[in-house]
């Protein structure tokens, strides 16, 4: 089964070309679900499961894997579906999100498939489980629901959005008051976390849910005669998003003379080393791993300091 991820490192070339690969799987029914392959470390049969006292209702226990203790989350129950009963031959997906490793108990793996982001759409309003979805797509006329894992994890292991007092005492941040920032992320949870953090700096926040919406908004401002690089302190964008990913968004920004000087920060839960390479490839100004409130504020301070030095 681990062969399902064979040669995954070679697939990094897809990113930056508005392409992705998803790992499709079943939970407690016939519906197909998916997550991005780049979040997946391995797929394997459940190792020995150890129960934990006072665990979250969606955590079925922990497993010991290569010297690490990893929580196992019933993904079906976590998104409001029928729980999966863990068994000796159960399948788990080991993933890394926001510098943490966890395993998801699933019903079974389907396959990996290569897509373009423009075939991946935001979930329609009122579409049942869309509260736990970032996107939907179709594969061979079958609906595939891409899960908002960041929301699942935030409900099980809540993130802190408070900025430390030491960071808030930075005198540079006083110049942030009233400045505008554009946030781009398909996860409502990630957008809420960023808003909660950045509001502590008295910033004016614009937010959209994918790269295509962001690009249209930026071009609309430019068409209206606004100096967009001067209007926005920065654009903070996720990497993975339906219709247009953050890498392609950055490429499109750099190709438009009216937008080319925008300060763009890539804010993602994907591998840090991988993203540093992609930042250089597409021309982002900075990279920030989710979700670290102090580091997010540091990125704002860094940008403000660069403007002060120019002035």
């Amino acid at each position: 089964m681990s062969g399902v991820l064979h040669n995954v490192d070679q697939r990094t070339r897809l990113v930056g070309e508005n392409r992705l690969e998803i790992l499709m799987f079943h939970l407690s029914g016939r519906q197909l679900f998916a997550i991005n392959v780049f979040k997946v470390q391995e797929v394997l049969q459940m190792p020995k499961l150890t129960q934990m006292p006072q665990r979250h209702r969606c955590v079925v226990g922990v497993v010991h894997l290569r010297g690490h203790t990893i929580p196992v989350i019933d993904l079906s129950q976590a998104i409001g579906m029928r729980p999966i009963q863990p068994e000796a031959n159960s399948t788990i997906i080991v993933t890394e999100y926001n510098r943490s490793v966890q395993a998801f108990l699933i019903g079974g793996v389907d396959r990996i498939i290569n897509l373009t982001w423009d075939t991946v759409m935001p979930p329609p309003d009122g579409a049942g489980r869309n509260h736990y979805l970032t996107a939907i797509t179709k594969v061979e006329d079958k609906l595939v629901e891409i899960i908002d894992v960041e929301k699942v994890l935030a409900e099980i292991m809540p993130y802190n959005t408070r900025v430390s007092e030491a960071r808030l005492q930075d005198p540079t941040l006083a110049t942030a008051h009233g400045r505008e920032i554009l946030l781009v992320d398909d996860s409502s949870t990630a957008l809420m976390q960023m808003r909660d953090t950045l509001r502590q700096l008295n910033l004016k926040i614009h937010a959209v849910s994918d790269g295509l919406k962001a690009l249209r908004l930026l071009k609309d401002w430019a068409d209206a005669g606004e100096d967009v690089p001067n209007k926005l302190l920065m654009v903070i964008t996720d990497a993975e998003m339906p219709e247009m990913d953050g890498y392609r968004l950055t490429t499109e920004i750099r190709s438009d003379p009216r937008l080319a000087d925008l300060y763009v920060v890539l804010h993602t839960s994907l591998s840090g080393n991988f993203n540093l390479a992609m930042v250089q490839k597409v021309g982002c100004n900075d990279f920030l791993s989710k979700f670290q409130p102090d580091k997010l504020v540091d990125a704002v301070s860094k940008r403000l300091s660069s403007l002060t030095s120019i002035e």
Side-chain angles (χ1 to χ4, degrees), residues 23 43 52 54 67 80 87 126 130 175 245 309-310:
L23 173 63
V43 179
M52 294 190 309
Q54 298 181 333
E87 300 175 350
N130 71 324
T175 61
D245 65 26
S309 64
I310 291 173

Side-chain angles (χ1 to χ4, degrees), residues 223-248:
D223 290 342
E226 295 197 58
D227 181 350
V228 183
N230 186 57
K231 172 185 177 68
L232 293 178
L233 180 64
M234 61 174 63
V235 176
I236 302 177
T237 180
D238 188 19
E240 310 170 79
M241 292 177 290
E243 300 199 80
M244 180 182 290
D245 65 26
Y247 305 109
R248 175 54 65 89

Side-chain angles (χ1 to χ4, degrees), residues 15 26 39 51 70 78 91 93-94 121 144 158 174 179 198 205 215 238 257 271 273 280 282 300 308:
V15 184
H26 297 277
K39 304 293 181 66
Q51 301 295 323
I70 301 171
T91 301
I93 303 174
V94 181
M121 299 291 116
V144 180
R179 298 298 301 261
L198 294 173
I205 298 168
L215 185 63
D238 188 19
S271 160
N273 290 333
Q280 295 176 353
V282 301
V300 174
T308 303

